[in-house]
Amino acid sequence: MNALSKLVAVEAKLFLREPVSLFFVFALPLGLMLVFGLPQRGAPQAATPGQHGEQTFLPSIALSLTIGMLALFTLPMALGIYRERKVLRRLATTPVSPALLLIAQVVVNLAMGVAGAVVTAVGVRFLLDQPAPANVPGFVLAFLLGVACLFAIGLLIAALAPSARSAQSIGPTLFFPLLFLAGAWLPRDQMPTVLARIGEYSPLGATVDTLSAAWAGQSPSVSQLLVLAGTAILGCLLATRLFRWE
């Protein structure tokens, strides 16, 4: 077993010991769908993504919520704790590169995000008696780009936050406006035009829309996918340039 696989195994054990993180990944999406989705059982399948009351929107926002919390809450806070406790500096004095710890963190959180996506899809199929994603390739592409985009933002927060407490503050401060722009509380067709347009291409908004479109069997918007990819690349470049090991 090489150094990276050992770090991944250790980080996975630490993640699984955190009940709050497990709640975000598995219980929260299913809870949201059971609370808000059961009254819609048997309703006709909607064709247009991104609006309240549509069966594709609910699982998409639940899944995006999970990814966003992993990216903006769990990942930055864990790296902030490691920086505060000098874990990264200690690793720098060993043959194990501190960069491997970052990779291990991303791998574990990505694996948890994939597990959450599977649980959400199964829950939609069997608990709500609704079909699984109809456009599987489009769904996988939208999911991976959404994860890459949000995780890149999370790494950028970890790069800029001087402590775990500040990372814990920055993440929610950014997350809840993004959730609003995604249409979680107010449908975007009821927002002012400019605000709705911004929400359409915001990280969570674009993730929700592309997942919802693929779930309904449509092709995700190419422009939204490009925005997700561009944000992921820019966020990773900035995080790499600005990240401090101590």
Side-chain angles (χ1 to χ4, degrees):
M1 183 180 291
N2 59 29
L4 179 58
S5 59
K6 290 180 180 179
L7 281 174
V8 169
V10 170
E11 292 297 326
K13 290 179 182 178
L14 293 174
F15 188 99
L16 294 174
R17 290 177 183 174
E18 291 292 335
V20 174
S21 299
L22 294 176
F23 172 80
F24 286 159
V25 173
F26 299 110
L28 183 60
L30 290 179
L32 286 173
M33 289 188 297
L34 286 174
V35 170
F36 296 106
L38 283 177
Q40 299 175 11
R41 180 175 291 189
Q45 182 71 30
T48 305
Q51 302 299 329
H52 284 280
E54 297 181 352
Q55 295 167 344
T56 58
F57 178 81
L58 181 59
S60 298
I61 193 69
L63 182 54
S64 299
L65 186 70
T66 297
I67 299 170
M69 286 186 167
L70 285 172
L72 303 182
F73 286 64
T74 305
L75 183 60
M77 187 169 63
L79 294 176
I81 290 173
Y82 286 155
R83 182 183 289 116
E84 280 186 353
R85 296 179 179 177
K86 311 298 182 184
V87 173
L88 299 178
R89 187 174 67 177
R90 291 169 186 166
L91 280 177
T93 64
T94 71
V96 179
S97 167
L100 289 180
L101 184 60
L102 299 184
I103 297 173
Q105 273 284 329
V106 171
V107 168
V108 169
N109 281 276
L110 175 59
M112 291 300 107
V114 171
V118 173
V119 169
T120 300
V122 172
V124 170
R125 179 66 184 90
F126 293 102
L127 296 180
L128 303 184
D129 195 25
Q130 301 299 333
N135 181 358
V136 175
F139 180 83
V140 172
L141 178 61
F143 176 80
L144 291 178
L145 287 179
V147 166
C149 173
L150 291 165
F151 274 34
I153 296 173
L155 288 174
L156 183 57
I157 293 173
L160 296 174
S163 65
R165 178 173 296 180
S166 59
Q168 197 173 13
S169 300
I170 296 172
T173 300
L174 183 60
F175 176 74
F176 289 108
L178 289 177
L179 197 60
F180 170 78
L181 290 173
W185 296 304
L186 180 67
R188 288 205 301 274
D189 58 4
Q190 297 180 20
M191 295 181 182
T193 303
V194 174
L195 193 60
R197 192 66 172 173
I198 293 173
E200 185 179 352
Y201 290 97
S202 65
L204 271 178
T207 300
V208 171
D209 284 359
T210 53
L211 287 175
S212 185
W215 211 303
Q218 303 170 358
S219 297
S221 166
V222 175
S223 59
Q224 288 179 311
L225 292 176
L226 289 175
V227 167
L228 291 175
T231 304
I233 293 171
L234 180 61
C236 286
L237 290 175
L238 290 174
T240 302
R241 183 176 183 85
L242 299 174
F243 196 89
R244 298 171 300 155
W245 297 112
E246 52 180 302

